[in-house]
Amino acid sequence: MSKLTFPEGFIWGVATSSYQIEGAWNEDGKGESIWDRFSHTPGKIADGTNGDVACDHYHRWQEDIALMRSLGIEAYRFSVSWPRILPTGRGEINQAGLDFYSRLVDGLLEAGILPFLTLYHWDLPQALQEKGGWPTRATAEAFAEYTDVVSHHLGNRVKHWITHNEPAVVGFEGHLTGRHPPGVKDPNAALRAVHHLLLSHGWAVPVIRGNSPDAEIGIALNLVPAVPASASAADIHACRHFDGYLNRWFLDPLHGRHYPADMVANYIAQGHLPGEGLTFIQDGDLDAIAIQTDFLGVNYYTRAITRNEDAPDNLPQTTSPSSERTETGWEVYPDGLYHLLSRLHFEYQPRKIYVTENGASYSDGPDTDGRVRDYRRMDYLRNHIAAAYRAIQNGVPLAGYFVWSLMDNFEWAKGYTQRFGIVWIDYETQQRIPKDSALWYKETIAEKGVCMNRNRSDCGECRGDPSTSTAP
Ligand code: FCB
């Protein structure tokens, strides 16, 4: 059967984040964020750009809602810029910032689009960074206050909340590799940052519940399923270590299982934690982090093949069934999404799962006729959606899927060199052009599923007219 039909009620969405699309970095009382500071520092962003203007969504949000509506998008995942609401992180509220998101939410609801609001997609107020940022506990306290302000104002209309986006990236890219702000390279600071991110999630959930009693609340994690490069003990060990570092370090405490003991021992052995271990944990922290949520958000792009230098190389190596990579260099591996979702369901049993991000960077642009034939993105999305379908067949309570991203945008330290959008952005004119993948996604939503025979958006098979198929 070539048509995969999703269950009734499955939610089809698109995702963005504030710093990547809004622009208006210093307008209407917004405070400086760590991403403003970082991108304004020479040498930090690959192409020397920043998010000052980005997609100018702050001024074009109505056009963007109309665009989503025209594509039949059912849900929009966006994030709130903390320094737009609280310019110095705590205390005085910037009403203009709240009004912006209030109008956005009203506009979405009028267009029949469900708002999925992410509270933190990386743009910490710079003022809080100067007081120590995430490695300090006070930032978690500030996050709970900020959550209260936003959920108090929007909780009557927003019924889907995501506390944090990818705490691993904030913790490790910000404080271990230094590729993201604050650009620190200190393993102990990274582990403290992660703990306070998770703690602030735990504190935020009851705050949102208080302000929006019937809301669904979750956290979005970047999870990367790993396989060993060979069946050698060394590669298997490397695989387990990678999984502990990126996946279990987050999943375990969120599901009441403490931080994984093998990783704590590793970190102590490496000197990343003191001999006594996790000294930053206070009484009650782990219970707070393990609070029951309504869903788990999964951001999936690729898998990892882990290799230990000590492994003998005369053993058969795991290779990719397709050698295809997106322009970020990430392997295209749809089965990884199926494996990941199944594992989460069987090992952790979240009440519900949403794929809160999935997508691909390809730079295909407008042809002379103005059309963007981004067939590789279409294939990527279709094959991942099919993997999600198989997971549902396997019993996974997957309730929705969000494409990253609605539109091309500022891809963090890579600047504008990567295009993930299903809508093309002409950064000179700010023109939006739905790519072929957007038109294909529109049909997918309308048909509540994908046709595996259809390689091109203009294939007519599902409409009973195979003669119109132009699949190669
Ligand atoms: C994720 C981020 C998102 C975007 C995609 C490509 O890690 O959450 O903002 O950058 O990667």
Side-chain angles (χ1 to χ4, degrees):
M1 203 182 63
S2 53
K3 174 86 193 291
L4 308 180
T5 306
F6 279 66
E8 205 50 51
F10 189 83
I11 295 174
W12 300 95
V14 290
T16 64
S17 84
S18 47
Y19 188 71
Q20 293 180 276
I21 65 163
E22 284 179 1
W25 76 283
N26 60 358
E27 282 182 46
D28 296 342
K30 176 182 166 293
E32 187 186 16
S33 82
I34 56 172
W35 272 96
D36 293 316
R37 178 66 64 94
F38 193 74
S39 66
H40 292 158
T41 307
K44 299 294 189 190
I45 308 298
D47 56 0
T49 59
N50 55 55
D52 289 4
V53 177
C55 307
D56 197 30
H57 169 78
Y58 187 77
H59 299 115
R60 294 169 193 262
W61 60 274
Q62 286 163 304
E63 182 187 347
D64 292 334
I65 290 176
L67 181 60
M68 284 190 268
R69 182 182 213 163
S70 76
L71 295 174
I73 303 295
E74 296 177 343
Y76 177 48
R77 177 179 174 229
F78 63 97
S79 78
V80 170
S81 158
W82 184 346
R84 236 184 243 298
I85 309 293
L86 297 161
T88 57
R90 290 183 109 146
E92 210 184 317
I93 297 174
N94 176 36
Q95 189 59 40
L98 274 176
D99 291 347
F100 169 72
Y101 294 107
S102 186
R103 285 193 299 268
L104 177 70
V105 165
D106 286 344
L108 289 166
L109 294 172
E110 272 163 34
I113 301 169
L114 271 181
F116 272 61
L117 186 154
T118 305
L119 284 159
Y120 189 75
H121 202 127
W122 308 355
D123 38 4
L124 184 73
Q126 179 65 28
L128 293 183
Q129 185 57 48
E130 270 144 40
K131 295 201 172 84
W134 287 111
T136 61
R137 201 170 168 93
T139 300
E141 291 160 7
F143 181 76
E145 295 166 13
Y146 157 66
T147 298
D148 189 38
V149 173
V150 178
S151 57
H152 177 77
H153 283 85
L154 301 178
N156 57 343
R157 288 160 287 158
V158 174
K159 295 299 173 190
H160 295 86
W161 295 79
I162 293 166
T163 54
H164 282 284
N165 180 70
E166 305 189 346
V169 173
V170 177
F172 299 141
E173 296 293 319
H175 305 83
L176 183 66
T177 69
R179 285 191 286 247
H180 285 186
V184 168
K185 295 180 186 173
D186 171 354
N188 182 261
L191 295 173
R192 280 185 285 126
V194 167
H195 181 65
H196 296 133
L197 285 154
L198 293 177
L199 183 60
S200 73
H201 155 80
W203 285 344
V205 173
V207 171
I208 301 168
R209 286 201 174 124
N211 288 327
S212 187
D214 45 353
E216 280 190 5
I217 311 166
I219 187 168
L221 302 179
N222 52 310
L223 299 169
V224 179
V227 292
S230 77
S232 70
D235 281 344
I236 289 169
H237 179 78
C239 185
R240 176 103 183 124
H241 186 268
F242 178 91
D243 187 52
Y245 163 73
L246 198 63
N247 303 326
R248 290 183 288 122
W249 195 259
F250 299 84
L251 289 165
D252 282 9
L254 286 168
H255 294 87
R257 302 179 193 171
H258 204 294
Y259 290 101
D262 60 323
M263 293 303 297
V264 175
N266 283 337
Y267 285 136
I268 293 173
Q270 291 169 327
H272 297 173
L273 287 173
E276 317 84 77
L278 302 160
T279 49
F280 42 73
I281 299 182
Q282 296 188 11
D283 280 354
D285 284 8
L286 291 168
D287 287 341
I289 291 171
I291 190 166
Q292 174 74 55
T293 53
D294 303 289
F295 65 86
L296 176 66
V298 174
N299 295 355
Y300 176 80
Y301 290 92
T302 192
R303 70 163 168 182
I305 299 176
T306 54
R307 178 104 183 107
N308 185 307
E309 285 167 8
D310 298 333
D313 24 80
N314 56 351
L315 293 171
Q317 302 286 307
T318 301
T319 49
S320 167
S322 89
S323 53
E324 203 190 328
R325 292 179 179 271
T326 67
E327 289 177 20
T328 45
W330 300 340
E331 180 192 343
V332 177
Y333 191 64
D335 279 354
L337 178 60
Y338 168 79
H339 294 142
L340 174 62
L341 292 172
S342 301
R343 174 197 185 182
L344 292 171
H345 173 53
F346 293 117
E347 272 188 44
Y348 293 97
Q349 305 249 330
R351 283 185 179 160
K352 233 186 212 189
I353 301 179
Y354 291 104
V355 172
T356 37
E357 287 182 26
N358 176 239
S361 166
Y362 292 114
S363 55
D364 307 294
D367 289 334
T368 44
D369 61 358
R371 213 173 117 185
V372 183
R373 294 171 172 80
D374 59 335
Y375 299 141
R376 292 175 297 173
R377 177 173 295 101
M378 239 148 56
D379 287 346
Y380 180 100
L381 296 177
R382 189 187 51 241
N383 290 329
H384 284 78
I385 289 171
Y389 177 87
R390 292 205 309 282
I392 295 174
Q393 301 304 299
N394 200 19
V396 175
L398 183 69
Y401 172 91
F402 292 74
V403 174
W404 183 272
S405 176
L406 169 62
M407 52 191 159
D408 297 334
N409 57 48
F410 180 79
E411 179 50 26
W412 309 113
K414 300 193 177 81
Y416 296 100
T417 64
Q418 303 293 323
R419 290 181 178 267
F420 276 91
I422 56 171
V423 172
W424 173 269
I425 299 283
D426 179 331
Y427 291 107
E428 295 294 310
T429 63
Q430 291 295 345
Q431 194 194 352
R432 278 100 165 107
I433 306 174
K435 303 178 188 178
D436 277 9
S437 59
L439 306 177
W440 168 86
Y441 195 47
K442 177 182 181 173
E443 286 185 25
T444 299
I445 298 170
E447 291 168 14
K448 300 187 184 309
V450 290
C451 170
M452 298 312 289
N453 272 356
R454 185 170 46 185
N455 291 323
R456 299 292 179 258
S457 65
D458 43 5
C459 162
E461 193 202 89
C462 291
R463 279 158 286 157
D465 180 17
S467 64
T468 64
S469 172
T470 56

